[in-house]
Amino acid sequence: MTRLMSYAEAIREGLREEMRADERVVLLGEDIGVYGGAFGVTDGLLDEFGDRRVRDTPISEAAITGCAIGGAITGLRPVVEIQFMDFITLCMEQLVLQAAKIRYMFGGTAAVPMVLRTPGGSGTGAAAQHSESLEAWFAHVPGLKVVAPSTPADAKGLLLSAIRDDNPVIFIEHKLLYRTKGPVPDAPTAVPLGVADVKREGADVTVVATGVMVPRALAAAGMLAEEGISAEVIDPRTLRPLDAETLVASVRKTGRVVIVYEAVKTLGIGAEIAARIAESDAVSHLTAPIVRLGGAECPIPYNRALERAAVPQEEDILTAVRRVMAA
Amino acid sequence: MTRLMSYAEAIREGLREEMRADERVVLLGEDIGVYGGAFGVTDGLLDEFGDRRVRDTPISEAAITGCAIGGAITGLRPVVEIQFMDFITLCMEQLVLQAAKIRYMFGGTAAVPMVLRTPGGSGTGAAAQHSESLEAWFAHVPGLKVVAPSTPADAKGLLLSAIRDDNPVIFIEHKLLYRTKGPVPDAPTAVPLGVADVKREGADVTVVATGVMVPRALAAAGMLAEEGISAEVIDPRTLRPLDAETLVASVRKTGRVVIVYEAVKTLGIGAEIAARIAESDAVSHLTAPIVRLGGAECPIPYNRALERAAVPQEEDILTAVRRVMAA
Amino acid sequence: MKTVPPAVDRTLSMLRMMLLIRAFEEKADELFALGRVHGTMHLGLGQEAVATGVCAALKPEDYILSTHRGHGHCLAKGADVGRMMAEFLGKETGYCRGRGGSMHIADVSGGNLGANGIVAGGLPIATGVGLSIQVRQTGQVCVAFFGDGAANEGAFHESVNLASIWALPVVFVCENNQYAMSMPVRKSMRVARISDRAAAYGIPGMTVDGTDVLAVYDATEAAVALARSGGGPTLLECAAYRYKGHSKSDRQRYRTRDEVEAWRRRDPIAQLRARLIAGGVVIDADADALEAAARSAIDAALRFAEESPEPDPASLLDGVYA
Amino acid sequence: MKTVPPAVDRTLSMLRMMLLIRAFEEKADELFALGRVHGTMHLGLGQEAVATGVCAALKPEDYILSTHRGHGHCLAKGADVGRMMAEFLGKETGYCRGRGGSMHIADVSGGNLGANGIVAGGLPIATGVGLSIQVRQTGQVCVAFFGDGAANEGAFHESVNLASIWALPVVFVCENNQYAMSMPVRKSMRVARISDRAAAYGIPGMTVDGTDVLAVYDATEAAVALARSGGGPTLLECAAYRYKGHSKSDRQRYRTRDEVEAWRRRDPIAQLRARLIAGGVVIDADADALEAAARSAIDAALRFAEESPEPDPASLLDGVYA
Ligand SMILES: Cc1ncc(C[n+]2csc(CCOP(=O)(O)OP(=O)(O)O)c2C)c(N)n1
Ligand SMILES: Cc1ncc(C[n+]2csc(CCOP(=O)(O)OP(=O)(O)O)c2C)c(N)n1
Ligand SMILES: [Mg+2]
Ligand SMILES: [Mg+2]
């Protein structure tokens, strides 16, 4: 059985269930208590779990991250909320030089079971410092895992896996998806990390999309179907470790691929996906060069029309797919 | 006319010449004064230019970076030294959310002419927190330029261009290259940003290498020549903007490519290079899948043998090239 | 804190400026309610005396670094209301060609080096502006505005320390409006006054009533004089209050109506107005006229903004690089 | 500062520990000179009393977070000398299987949560250890060691503030050895004592003679008692000096021989030895015997390390993920 709920509600339910099931799970973040989080995700959790486990922090992103690390290596399973992904730029030393490396540097004698939740993406008029899509940075770092759900069910299911995982997991939410609704299983249903999901099967072209680009790609696939183009839409869901085999297998089948992501095109996750395909045997099955559709090479502008032009939209996906089909 | 000098000396000469030529150039960093910098690069500059222009700073990487930004937007041309590239993780907010975006966010009404110099790479037994190769992060950021010289002449020439450039430039030096010697033009000779350099011409296979991998690739190319394999070795030199056309043209010619870089393989600069080739017409000229030779998916270990095994060595390049030639 | 009472005309222009700032933000609030603002915004209604008193103590060539709650700073530093409203609405004629919006309005030629979307993000930059002034020996001063919440960021610590050891001409102005979003100051730090933190850097610290524009002016004047004379930075805390929510998504569960009302009774504009009337400087009618003038200046600015073109999407990549 | 004089046997074991630390680092220095150490290292010769006095006031189940200059902390917290020497030489039997080396030695089961290559990098982590202790109510305490230079990092500010508002059981121990690499403390901050910074967080600050192991012990005991009883953190500054260069690349142009000599005359080990002899607790011969014992313990540790295998390159990826 499933219920229809929003992406934000699904994440909240995941947090609540894990906190009920495991005393070691604590929440840290700015305004996650009485305010309920900048996007309302943690609304009500302070009331249920109290301020011993739901901690409103000062504006000190580096310390908050380190606080989660210290808790994690000594018996807690902290879940941190960084209010906007942009602010993770203040956590890089603790995340990358400490959380990601501690276990390895210590010869496997410590574990860092923590989750860092943060909303990324543009489209809300928040401009250049509140619209970043930085997931590729973390996918470049051994020791970290990176998750980016596109549906309510994936959001909850991947969050359960992330909290139960014994490694630091960067859990990337999308501002534009918080209010989108979808079916979520009644029973706690973990979605395994590292497994891509074929959101729509198809035969002519593979469309790999992440985050908010998944619904856009699915909408485009619907229209393409009417034109007689059968697009297979795949969401990697986990960006590190990347389930390249599922993507490569699809390209082997279709011979055409369009990779859609919101982050800046250069060195965004699409670069790695393209490279994995190019170094695989699938490269010889390509009937057209690989196409990447990424964000423009600029900061996110404030103006609504410019902001829209800065990242791939449904029509851009349609154009790109039609182009590879024509090639 | 040229003189033989070390990579470190060439950088020092570049700093000295620009400081003599332009009053606005100031140096900021930890232990760059009487200590001469952790790797001795700024040795003697305090004596020549005094502590008004050569500033030893406290251990405050974020403030140092912001200090350079503030100076840059109000008439200085600061050159910052971050003692090890790893510590740039403490500068990310100032570098990425401020330096890289200020001009754009302000509608083009400000410029941020600054250079951030920092040594990257492993091989010195400095372990996981002093051996990072994070250049790909910055190559992902619009508004920044990223340079990584592999020879003394390129180091000096690119530094001159970086200091004269009106944008923030991340200038990546390599610890293992500081003592390597090479010819450097007597007269100040700027090397333009954004132009790759064919370090050795060849016909059978393209080897794209960056930083310390360039001398390793050249050594391998020498041995391959004896086996009758003609390898073309190209150093992009600038990682953002990337001179993809030079790389693609070479692959069009050779039909085979091995991309060698020290950073973690996943989402290192080689991912973008592979993607650019895969989206170009050169993909149809490939007679073998693209091969990436990058760093292992782990932090850099301390032990000498493990450290060596963690990044590509000359013999790995030989093996990889032989493999693509056999394909 | 008061030294000599500032000249009457200066006081009047401070009243005018506070009225202008208030009119701007009330209009902004109205436009938002009408759904005509893309994104969010942060209003400083109630904090007008801080921006006004501080900037009145600066010269045109001095610099400021502003915050996400920066409308007041921008106007007080002398920005053109029309270009500012245009930026607020994302128009091509705005200060940032519509690329910045409310959170990034900058008037570089006017000495406002920008609002900042990052809490404490302007503080490290301020040290560099101070360094530049010191190296170029121009005798300018840089004011860095920040909030009470920003005082808990590492950037605050590193920046004030750097400015202190190099005796940079920077004045750190903390606008303590009692909350960082939902976090009350008393829960985010264990000191009574944020200015107590000056002791950690061996610099002067002062706390003034941020609803009293004259007190803010006098304190700033002293700090600026110290900075110009090579005496280094001062940490100046101005205690004030924001009447509105933190941003548009704020249900304000963390404070009481009574608390808001109590602060509204100390309204900075009403205070100064009463003072000027009591002092016989103006009569009610004059004050009303100034208020009306501010309103019509805003109406004109809005007309300018509305008649201004949107940026051309083809210009998306303009200004990424110099 | 002194409360009751610590028991004689404790004092003797502190002498033993200081001798062991010194013997370890003198051996490390010797091995480096012989070219047998890969990479660099940071010696704390002269600072033995800080690690020793602090850790003597802790229980085995308490935690410490160490620094790049962490050999003393590790030994004082009870590490096995053999496994430590093995890690120092990058052997498979080392605490970190040779992956960490000098800069990352950690003895997690012994409560040493690791040396740290990042200045101030352990301070944010210490707040989390304190949170964990508080949430799990285990009554433990966490000591975070850091240097004078680290006190200028933003992480110091954020961490001490966080620990103060939550009254976390963390003791912040600043080892002020007068320099951060080449940067003298007086040039890097404008305060006389680093402990003056405690005022910015409303917590107690103390400065003690870091060459007097008993003074360090007593001060730590007081801070630990406060932390355990829910009183929150203390900022404890221990003034000491490093005899050797910052690391192996240091030409020490920033200080004079005389300064080094003056501090050497206050050697912590010589001080305690003289005190114990004057107090009739030991005679010269006993002290010499303790020193010899320390040396032979190090020789045994070195033999163990030398006989230990190198890590297998095939194990390169072990331990990246749990
Ligand atoms: C580094 C960073 N962390 C968090 C935020 C989100 N945020 C924006 S304003 C704000 C509160 C700031 O409080 P304060 O400094 O007191 O300024 P005020 O909003 O009260 O004017 C927060 C948490 C941010 N913009 N930047
Ligand atoms: C964030 C960071 N910046 C710079 C360095 C390089 N570095 C290593 S130790 C050191 C000096 C640290 O001084 P202090 O904190 O006083 O400790 P000490 O070395 O004196 O024990 C520096 C600059 C580093 N490791 N980490
Ligand atoms: Mg506030
Ligand atoms: Mg020191």
Side-chain angles (χ1 to χ4, degrees), chain A residues 32-303:
Chain A
I32 62 170
V34 69
Y35 197 101
F39 294 91
V41 173
T42 56
D43 207 0
L45 298 179
L46 172 65
D47 297 340
E48 178 170 354
F49 300 102
D51 62 9
R52 194 175 61 95
R53 292 177 67 194
V54 178
R55 300 256 177 167
D56 265 326
T57 67
I59 309 175
S60 307
E61 287 78 10
I64 298 168
T65 306
C67 190
I69 296 169
I73 56 180
T74 56
L76 299 180
R77 301 185 83 82
V79 179
V80 176
E81 174 176 302
I82 295 295
Q83 210 166 71
F84 284 75
M85 185 192 268
D86 312 64
F87 315 152
I88 209 167
T89 50
L90 290 157
C91 314
M92 299 305 285
E93 180 269 322
Q94 286 292 308
L95 268 182
V96 175
L97 301 188
Q98 310 291 346
K101 294 176 169 52
I102 279 175
R103 182 177 182 77
Y104 189 83
M105 289 190 301
F106 293 2
T109 57
V112 188
M114 63 177 277
V115 176
L116 186 145
R117 294 179 40 243
T118 190
S122 63
T124 64
Q129 294 176 330
H130 286 70
S131 305
E132 289 275 22
S133 298
L134 300 171
E135 54 277 3
W137 283 0
F138 304 101
H140 184 45
V141 179
L144 297 180
K145 294 186 179 181
V146 183
V147 175
S150 66
T151 69
D154 283 347
K156 181 182 172 183
L158 288 164
L159 181 62
L160 298 185
S161 297
I163 295 174
R164 295 168 191 174
D165 196 273
D166 281 332
N167 301 287
V169 179
I170 311 297
F171 190 87
I172 298 167
E173 303 170 6
H174 199 291
K175 304 179 192 88
L176 294 182
L177 292 176
Y178 279 131
R179 299 203 170 138
T180 59
K181 290 189 184 296
V184 175
D186 293 336
T189 310
V191 172
L193 304 182
V195 181
D197 189 38
V198 177
K199 295 294 186 190
R200 177 186 175 117
E201 298 209 341
D204 303 334
V205 54
T206 301
V207 178
V208 180
T210 65
V212 75
M213 295 300 154
V214 176
R216 290 181 194 171
L218 287 169
M223 301 194 57
L224 290 162
E226 294 168 17
E227 300 172 20
I229 298 172
S230 165
E232 178 151 286
V233 179
I234 307 182
D235 176 1
R237 297 196 295 195
T238 300
L239 305 182
R240 183 180 188 92
L242 184 68
D243 178 6
E245 190 34 48
T246 298
L247 310 178
V248 168
S250 176
V251 176
R252 231 181 256 121
K253 178 178 70 177
T254 63
R256 296 185 179 83
V257 59
V258 175
I259 306 162
V260 195
Y261 51 107
E262 179 172 7
V264 169
K265 182 179 179 183
T266 298
L267 277 162
I269 189 68
E272 182 63 24
I273 293 171
R276 295 283 182 102
I277 294 167
E279 42 185 20
S280 76
D281 63 303
V283 75
S284 57
H285 297 65
L286 286 175
T287 55
I290 293 171
V291 172
R292 286 185 299 163
L293 217 52
E297 304 287 326
C298 65
I300 298 296
Y302 168 67
N303 173 275

Side-chain angles (χ1 to χ4, degrees), chain B residues 210-233:
Chain B
T210 64
V212 75
M213 295 300 154
V214 175
R216 290 181 193 171
L218 288 168
M223 301 193 57
L224 290 163
E226 295 167 17
E227 300 173 20
I229 297 173
S230 165
E232 178 151 289
V233 179

Side-chain angles (χ1 to χ4, degrees), chain A residues 30-38 40 43-44 56-62 83 86-87 90 123-130 296-307 309-310, chain C residues 37-40 87-91 97-104 116-119 149-150 152-153 180-183 188 246-247 249-251 253-254 310-313 315-317 320:
Chain A
E30 293 158 14
D31 310 290
I32 62 170
V34 69
Y35 197 101
D43 207 0
D56 265 326
T57 67
I59 309 175
S60 307
E61 287 78 10
Q83 210 166 71
D86 312 64
F87 315 152
L90 290 157
T124 64
Q129 294 176 330
H130 286 70
E297 304 287 326
C298 65
I300 298 296
Y302 168 67
N303 173 275
R304 192 190 297 264
L306 292 179
E307 182 185 27
Chain C
V37 182
H38 182 45
T40 188
E87 188 57 39
F88 180 76
L89 293 178
K91 297 303 190 82
R97 299 185 57 196
R99 274 74 175 159
S102 170
M103 234 186 314
H104 302 294
N116 206 306
I118 302 306
V119 168
N152 295 321
E153 282 281 12
M181 211 156 153
S182 66
M183 172 65 87
S188 74
H246 164 71
S247 69
S249 63
D250 185 354
R251 288 164 298 182
R253 293 177 178 160
Y254 50 84
E310 294 276 328
D312 174 359
S315 68
L316 177 65
L317 299 182
V320 176

